[in-house]
Amino acid sequence: MTEKIQKQLGSTLWGIADKLRGAMDADDFRDYMLSFLFLRYLSDNYETAAKKELGKDYPSESEVAQERERILEMRAAELQAKKKKKKQADEDGAEEVGLPISTPLQLWYLQNPGDTEVFEKQMRRKVHYIIRPGHLWSNIANMARTQHGRLLDTLQEGFKYIEEKSFASTFQGLFSEIDLASPKLGRAYTDRNAKLCNIIQKIAEGLADFSTDIDALGDAYEYLIGQFASGSGKKAGEFYTPQRISDILSAIVTLDSQEPKTGPKKRLDSVMDFACGSGSLLLNVRHRIKEAGGTIGKIYGQEKNITTYNLARMNMLLHGVKDTEFEIHHGDTLLNEWDILRELNPAKKPLFDAIVANPPFSYRWDPGESMGDDVRFKSHGLAPKSAADFAFLLHGFHFLKDEGVMAIILPHGVLFRGGAEERIRTKLLKDGHIDTVIGLPTNLFYSTGIPVCILVLKRCKKPDDVLFINAAEHFEKGKRQNVLLDEHIDKIIDTYRERPAKPIERYARRVGMKEIEENGYNLNISRYISTAVADEEIKLADIHQKLVDSEKAIREAKKKHNKFLVELGLLPLP
């Protein structure tokens, strides 16, 4: 599927979401919409694998249609035989008729009850999960199309089964934020069921206009996350990093740490984002390394918000990352609520090749006295309660490999604020860990209009200087947010990779540690790269000539005007 068609798919689904959500809050509707898209992905992937596994035994659509007609005729006869009142018979018929065969896998299960256990065992081994036939998207969409009265119950059963039994590894709570009993869908069961039928039917119709290429659904999912983020204001900062900024971070951490100009690494054993949101930044790193012909081992992410945590897990699977290839943990990063990161034995401490993060800016926290002894902060000190920016940075840096690279988005205040932050910044600089400072334009994020910077850190870096890149003036102004174009991103990445020895006027410069020390370890970019615009040189001869020409033009105009006045019998101008 081409990029153009992928965007069309995303915009089609967004149009459906925007139309159907009505008065429902965008954040609430997002969870329903993305969960249904996720179910579609799991179902398509599963049915494709099942067809391959069963081969010629996989029922055809015509066989399914014949069996469906047979069951409907049989049930109609049973209803007639009961000789109930017409109204009651119609109600029972609507309930019973909703259960006919609608997918090949349902028919296979019906015909082969003794083989289903072996089949599911094989599917667990090959695709790492199973979905019961009645929970497949094709059946759910058929129930929506026929306005079946038990759609809501079937969805609840399906979500619960996927959470608890589908995957070999635990996906408990994957749909915990999807409240199908929410009054926002309707007051009564029938109202909620009808609303869901309408939503799912429209989604199914929208998807039917496009190829069934399951890889495209991952991109559509990312597109929808971005669209919902654009309408969420400050809430968007909790789960979304704009794609163009994500491109910069992923490019930096996939380049060779010691010699970036040699190009991307061929292998990343592990990558981590300790404030991963919906996981788009991690997926961007994965895409970047694979695009360069490299491989990636395992993806790790941590997220405090339960809804966003679920989005991240779905997003991984939707992009073809197997459940054995990633680990997303729900917990507070600052409190280090992840057992694998609390390992006290240095030999067993997990370390990562690449660390990327877009943590909440200037987040207020209360570390307490005991936190001062935390191994993550002990050597540098605690960030102030008013801004946990350096706490997030030190958390990630603690788990960085010696040859690894960390890129983190932070507010500009970390570059120059005093007090505890100055002490942390000074130690990081003296120890040679801050490699590059990149200043970005204002208004790039949905959640804030402030300018931000990217800090690149390394445990072992070759140059005894800091590279400053002032990209604040390089952007395209948008209606709501400013936008970084390909040329702007390429210039940032090329400058980081080449690390030019000579300054680039108003844009980049390598600054030695002596000069930084003389500036009190203040990293404010304007101290090292002049952004002042030189006054335009005024040439007096040119100005004089312009005045002469103006005077001449005035005389000629006055002469012409007086001629008209005389013809009209009026007094001329003096």
Side-chain angles (χ1 to χ4, degrees):
M1 185 178 282
T2 65
E3 184 177 349
K4 181 180 179 181
I5 296 177
Q6 286 175 349
K7 287 183 178 179
Q8 288 177 348
L9 172 58
S11 59
T12 296
L13 291 172
W14 172 246
I16 293 170
D18 201 36
K19 184 177 180 180
L20 291 180
R21 73 181 180 89
M24 188 183 294
D25 184 77
D27 291 326
D28 292 326
F29 193 82
R30 174 198 69 201
D31 300 332
Y32 294 106
M33 185 81 176
L34 295 179
S35 293
F36 296 149
L37 193 62
F38 178 63
L39 179 61
R40 161 68 192 265
Y41 168 79
L42 288 180
S43 298
D44 283 3
N45 192 43
Y46 190 75
E47 287 184 289
T48 300
K51 186 174 183 179
K52 184 178 180 180
E53 177 68 22
L54 295 174
K56 63 180 181 180
D57 292 331
Y58 192 76
S60 65
E61 291 295 339
S62 61
E63 290 175 306
V64 173
Q66 291 172 7
E67 182 63 18
R68 181 164 56 241
E69 289 300 317
R70 186 187 72 79
I71 292 176
L72 289 175
E73 290 174 2
M74 180 182 68
R75 287 178 179 166
E78 289 175 354
L79 289 172
Q80 186 68 27
K82 288 182 179 180
K83 295 181 180 181
K84 291 186 177 181
K85 291 180 182 180
K86 186 177 184 303
K87 181 179 179 182
Q88 185 63 42
D90 287 344
E91 290 176 355
D92 287 350
E95 189 71 9
E96 293 290 333
V97 167
L99 299 174
I101 301 298
S102 63
T103 69
L105 209 52
Q106 282 177 304
L107 179 55
W108 186 86
Y109 266 67
L110 185 68
Q111 295 173 338
N112 303 275
D115 298 327
T116 58
E117 186 176 345
V118 175
F119 167 74
E120 289 183 355
K121 187 176 181 180
Q122 279 292 95
M123 293 299 285
R124 282 194 187 280
R125 187 175 67 84
K126 292 189 175 180
V127 292
H128 296 263
Y129 66 92
I130 59 170
I131 296 183
R132 286 295 167 85
H135 303 151
L136 290 167
W137 172 261
S138 48
N139 184 57
I140 296 295
N142 185 59
M143 293 178 74
R145 182 180 58 81
T146 58
Q147 296 288 304
H148 188 276
R150 286 199 68 248
L151 172 71
L152 194 156
D153 286 339
T154 304
L155 269 176
Q156 285 181 321
E157 293 165 4
F159 285 165
K160 184 178 180 181
Y161 189 90
I162 291 172
E163 284 184 333
E164 298 178 357
K165 299 179 181 179
S166 280
F167 291 84
S169 58
T170 177
F171 271 77
Q172 188 69 32
L174 190 62
F175 300 100
S176 62
E177 297 300 292
I178 311 303
D179 184 5
L180 296 176
S182 171
K184 293 177 181 179
L185 288 171
R187 292 186 177 182
Y189 176 95
T190 52
D191 296 331
R192 295 193 294 273
N193 194 80
K195 176 80 170 179
L196 288 171
C197 283
N198 189 29
I199 293 171
I200 292 171
Q201 182 182 357
K202 293 299 183 184
I203 293 174
E205 289 173 355
L207 290 170
D209 294 333
F210 295 89
S211 164
T212 55
D213 177 8
I214 57 177
D215 292 335
L217 285 177
D219 294 315
Y221 189 90
E222 279 285 322
Y223 178 89
L224 287 173
I225 288 176
Q227 291 297 105
F228 279 114
S230 69
S232 296
K234 292 185 178 180
K235 291 183 180 179
E238 297 177 2
F239 64 88
Y240 191 71
T241 301
Q243 193 67 31
R244 305 321 327 258
I245 300 177
S246 178
D247 288 341
I248 299 171
L249 271 70
S250 61
I252 287 172
V253 300
T254 52
L255 290 170
D256 185 271
S257 62
Q258 296 302 313
E259 297 290 346
K261 63 178 62 179
T262 62
K265 297 177 182 177
K266 293 302 179 185
R267 171 74 179 176
L268 283 177
D269 289 327
S270 58
V271 57
M272 197 255 283
D273 182 346
F274 52 78
C276 70
S278 60
S280 60
L281 189 45
L282 287 168
L283 287 167
N284 203 322
V285 174
R286 177 178 181 266
H287 173 74
R288 176 79 62 165
I289 198 78
K290 289 198 168 188
E291 194 176 47
T295 58
I296 194 166
K298 194 164 184 177
I299 293 172
Y300 295 84
Q302 184 165 2
E303 175 55 43
K304 182 179 179 181
N305 181 288
I306 182 66
T307 303
T308 312
Y309 159 68
N310 288 331
L311 284 180
R313 294 192 290 171
M314 291 183 197
N315 206 6
M316 291 293 148
L317 294 166
L318 267 164
H319 281 84
V321 188
K322 294 179 181 178
D323 59 312
T324 54
E325 295 174 340
F326 73 90
E327 188 171 345
I328 307 293
H329 181 74
H330 177 229
D332 191 315
T333 292
L334 295 178
L335 298 179
N336 204 17
E337 294 178 338
W338 194 354
D339 287 343
I340 66 170
L341 300 183
R342 298 172 72 93
E343 176 59 57
L344 297 177
N345 185 343
K348 295 182 179 180
K349 185 178 84 170
L351 296 172
F352 303 94
D353 294 300
I355 295 177
V356 289
N358 174 26
F361 301 150
S362 299
Y363 179 78
R364 295 189 69 86
W365 71 315
D366 188 6
E369 293 183 12
S370 61
M371 194 69 82
D373 293 325
D374 190 296
V375 66
R376 297 170 296 164
F377 312 127
K378 193 172 184 179
S379 299
H380 296 80
L382 289 174
K385 292 182 179 181
S386 59
D389 301 309
F390 270 115
F392 283 115
L393 182 150
L394 292 174
H395 171 86
F397 188 68
H398 180 70
F399 298 103
L400 185 66
K401 284 184 179 178
D402 286 345
E403 65 277 16
V405 182
M406 175 178 171
I408 182 171
I409 304 170
L410 294 170
H412 269 243
V414 300
L415 302 177
F416 56 79
R417 288 192 297 241
E421 290 181 294
E422 181 181 356
R423 291 191 292 274
I424 296 171
R425 183 174 62 245
T426 299
K427 180 163 177 56
L428 287 169
L429 285 164
K430 286 182 175 181
D431 292 346
H433 296 318
I434 296 180
D435 179 85
T436 303
V437 178
I438 304 171
L440 296 177
T442 59
N443 202 29
L444 290 177
F445 288 81
Y446 297 117
S447 54
T448 179
I450 66 170
V452 299
C453 64
I454 297 173
L455 288 186
V456 181
L457 296 100
K458 300 173 184 178
R459 285 202 171 276
C460 303
K461 70 184 184 84
K462 262 189 172 182
D464 186 27
D465 56 36
V466 176
L467 173 64
F468 286 84
I469 299 176
N470 176 36
E473 300 172 3
H474 300 259
F475 62 92
E476 183 176 83
K477 194 168 183 60
K479 290 182 180 180
R480 297 182 65 181
Q481 272 79 41
N482 292 329
V483 179
L484 294 175
L485 303 179
D486 288 343
E487 61 200 65
H488 305 137
I489 293 171
D490 291 343
K491 186 172 184 179
I492 292 172
I493 296 169
D494 289 345
T495 305
Y496 167 78
R497 185 179 59 238
E498 297 301 323
R499 205 175 186 90
K502 293 183 178 180
I504 301 175
E505 187 178 0
R506 295 176 56 81
Y507 190 76
R509 180 176 167 235
R510 290 170 62 172
V511 180
M513 289 307 301
K514 184 178 179 182
E515 184 177 346
I516 292 175
E517 182 182 358
E518 290 171 352
N519 277 278
Y521 297 98
N522 185 314
L523 295 180
N524 202 341
I525 297 172
S526 61
R527 290 197 174 210
Y528 306 102
I529 299 176
S530 175
T531 58
V533 179
D535 292 334
E536 185 179 353
E537 185 179 349
I538 298 175
K539 295 182 179 180
L540 292 177
D542 292 342
I543 298 298
H544 176 76
Q545 186 60 48
K546 285 182 180 179
L547 289 172
V548 170
D549 293 342
S550 296
E551 287 287 345
K552 182 179 179 182
I554 291 171
R555 286 195 301 272
E556 291 178 354
K558 182 178 177 181
K559 183 178 179 181
K560 185 176 181 181
H561 184 70
N562 282 340
K563 183 179 179 182
F564 292 138
L565 290 174
V566 170
E567 291 178 358
L568 293 170
L570 299 174
L571 293 174
L573 294 173

